Amino acid sequence: MTKLSEITFKDQGMVSADGFWSAVDVWIHKPHVVNKRLCGAKTEEKKEVNVSELGQLLSGYWHGDIKEINSILNYLNEKNDVCLNQPARKEEPRYFILRSLIPKVNTDGVPFKREMVVKDVVNQRVTFLPLEENIEGHTVLKRSNIYQIQLRQVNNEEWSVSISTLCSKGWDSDGVIYPKLAWLSTELLSKLAKWSTENKKREFKSTLSLIAVEKYSHLYQQLKEKYKEMVKVWPEVTDPEKFVYEDVAIATYLLVMWEEERKEKDLAEKQSFVDLGCGNGLLVHILSNEGHPGRGIDVRKRKIWDMYGPQTHLEECAITPSENFLFPDVDWLIGNHSDELTPWIPVMSSRSSYSCRFFVLPCCFFDFIGKYNRRQCKKTQYREYIDFIAEVASVCGFDVEEDCLRIPSTKRVCLVGKTRTYDSSCEAQIDEQRIQLIKNRPVCNGINGQTTDSKLVTDCSLGHNAEHSSNVDHSVEKVQEASFEPETQTCVSRNWAAGFQPREKAIHVRNCASLPRNFIDRVVLQVANALLDLNEGVVRGCVEGHNIWNRGGNLSVREVAELLDKETLQNLKNECGGLQTLLKNNHQVFRVLGGIVQIRDWREETGGRKAKPDLKRKLSSAVLKTRLCWFFVNHPDGCPIPSESCLFAHGSEELRPSAFKSNKPHNRSFSTEGPPLWT
């Protein structure tokens, strides 16, 4: 064995051997956490074995002669003195694991590659034995890529973790399944050393724990390729790459889960669905195109809806938890970042029919009515909210399962209700539990987070998140008594909770952009003059041929607020971010950093040279000189940089016409009727 690298670390108050094995288990079962080119690993076999059983397993999985097998067994059975001051221990069995490594992108036509793993707890080491097929089609051991990770106790305070290989010179790296030795010696080893000293308990399950990872990986690559053209023609103001690939990932998860469900239940037809609060409707579009009958409902139509084609069924409608929104003929209800509907989806699913299931991906924290209030400081707010939704689903009679998706979002935990915990004959009893759960919930009474009596509910103006915008108003309007009627009563026109308010159809933009122009100009000028006045003592004119430009002083946002009258402050208070947002919006004039406001000196931005557009922003000449330079018009010393370096016009004669991007939808369709964009 050739040692490639070794890292020494101190025991941080925990048993480092236990930490080492926890770290090794991450690399064995979740290698994608470190190797980003992998989608994951599938454990095909795992068992405890003694030495003789290990030899039988090795000979059963690869086509090798007895001499070769015995040489590997001798290598695996070498004794190591790994711990100090410890009594001799009995020979303990090894742990044999057969795993399949699944790449994100299949480059060589092989969907996965197998590897045998032998954990030797006594000698504190784990050995990885990769398998491959030879030209004759036999599975053989890839001897050149055998490697071993070893834990050793250096002294009473220090441990070391090392990595060694059987054939360092003949290592065969493909950059995916088999990384380079330098990567194993640095990236992997440093992670294992770090994790060996940590004692962190995971808040959530590992990703894709409820479905087959290899199926997910294969299907995700197919759908990503199929729908990638949507990024180019995305008409919404939101980030196309984030929303397209996130919905592709969610659709992949559902499609794999539904395929496995059909096999388990021997179903012939594909499952139907309704996506409540479907937003841009892309998830509905993908699921429909993949053969699942369904529709999406949202309070507000999006531009992109018209681009999908007639096969994607989307409805503009405000959803209210009531008898009007039960779906007895639907297999699945979906809540993808469904905001105020999130806690209601398990309720609506359970009352739609005994066979109706649900999938919910919680994002913003809503209770049945109003915002969700934290009740446990020992948990993160996100963990507490996930537990709340799981509790709701459990009370509704679901056997709730939790999983973590692989999507570009911090809110990745989903809850799935596929089966019930009760017999259909007990429906009336379970429905009474649902009623009591909702009636007994304390309700948010305004933004300050106070709660009302459990029998009272609050009507809140729940804003829409415009693919989840934060510029919404959650002000309280009134308090009414709760009303949650059993399904058996005839109350079709009544809501289950009278205080529930669906999100508003119109988006209230409250980022100071809609304030009157003269109001903004007045505040900007007042603040700028106050900053300039702080440098009244600066000598005007020239010093050694250089202009002295008054860049003003510094004020905190609080000090700036004290300069403004009450009416101005009240108008700003109604906007998200208030005064600070207005100042940041006027990027040309102010620099706001760490709560400190100062006048922007464009000489520092351009370095005194002709302005070069940021490559990331790719400013074209069509957007330059379309607005007057504020400093040229208002600053007593004018603009600090010459006209040819300034992005803004120095006088009306330099003004160019604005070239705004058209907001009209592209004249292209996402319909699969005819030749689609992604074929």
Side-chain angles (χ1 to χ4, degrees), residues 372-385:
Y372 176 82
N373 283 316
R374 294 196 64 180
R375 292 167 179 82
Q376 299 183 39
C377 60
K378 293 184 179 180
K379 298 180 181 179
T380 64
Q381 186 178 16
Y382 187 41
R383 176 71 265 177
E384 182 182 343
Y385 187 67

Side-chain angles (χ1 to χ4, degrees), residues 588 625-633 648-653 655:
Q588 182 192 359
K625 306 288 186 180
T626 58
R627 292 171 55 193
L628 285 172
C629 174
W630 185 92
F631 295 101
F632 180 83
V633 176
F648 304 92
H650 285 199
S652 57
E653 64 277 4
L655 275 175

Side-chain angles (χ1 to χ4, degrees), residues 8-116:
T8 302
F9 53 91
K10 290 187 177 182
D11 194 335
Q12 301 294 326
M14 63 173 289
V15 181
S16 292
D18 293 343
F20 168 74
W21 287 115
S22 296
V24 166
D25 282 342
V26 173
W27 177 237
I28 293 174
H29 301 293
K30 295 180 284 187
H32 57 277
V33 173
V34 189
N35 185 352
K36 302 302 182 183
R37 295 181 179 181
L38 293 178
C39 183
K42 178 184 178 182
T43 301
E44 298 188 13
E45 186 175 355
K46 182 178 181 181
K47 61 170 60 177
E48 223 178 81
V49 294
N50 55 36
V51 175
S52 61
E53 291 172 334
L54 180 59
Q56 294 174 4
L57 277 171
L58 295 181
S59 61
Y61 278 111
W62 99 76
H63 189 78
D65 56 33
I66 299 299
K67 184 178 179 180
E68 184 182 20
I69 293 173
N70 287 336
S71 68
I72 295 298
L73 281 174
N74 291 334
Y75 163 66
L76 294 173
N77 291 329
E78 289 179 358
K79 303 296 181 182
N80 285 330
D81 296 326
V82 295
C83 297
L84 302 176
N85 303 324
Q86 290 191 11
R89 291 174 292 181
K90 294 181 180 180
E91 182 70 19
E92 294 184 15
R94 274 78 166 164
Y95 294 91
F96 174 86
I97 299 169
L98 179 67
R99 67 172 183 169
S100 295
L101 295 168
I102 306 164
K104 277 187 176 179
V105 180
N106 187 352
T107 56
D108 58 2
V110 181
F112 58 84
K113 293 185 179 179
R114 286 180 171 177
E115 193 171 60
M116 297 183 294

Side-chain angles (χ1 to χ4, degrees), residues 410-434:
T410 56
K411 307 293 173 58
R412 302 185 297 151
V413 178
C414 70
L415 295 174
V416 180
K418 293 192 289 187
T419 59
R420 304 293 177 100
T421 58
Y422 64 95
D423 189 82
S424 58
S425 60
C426 302
E427 182 63 40
Q429 179 183 349
I430 298 299
D431 199 50
E432 182 61 31
Q433 292 181 14
R434 301 174 192 134

Side-chain angles (χ1 to χ4, degrees), residues 116-136:
M116 297 183 294
V117 182
V118 180
K119 294 170 65 175
D120 186 346
V121 178
V122 174
N123 292 294
Q124 305 285 35
R125 66 190 177 196
V126 57
T127 308
F128 297 84
L129 307 159
L131 301 171
E132 64 178 351
E133 281 193 6
N134 60 17
I135 56 176
E136 298 174 351

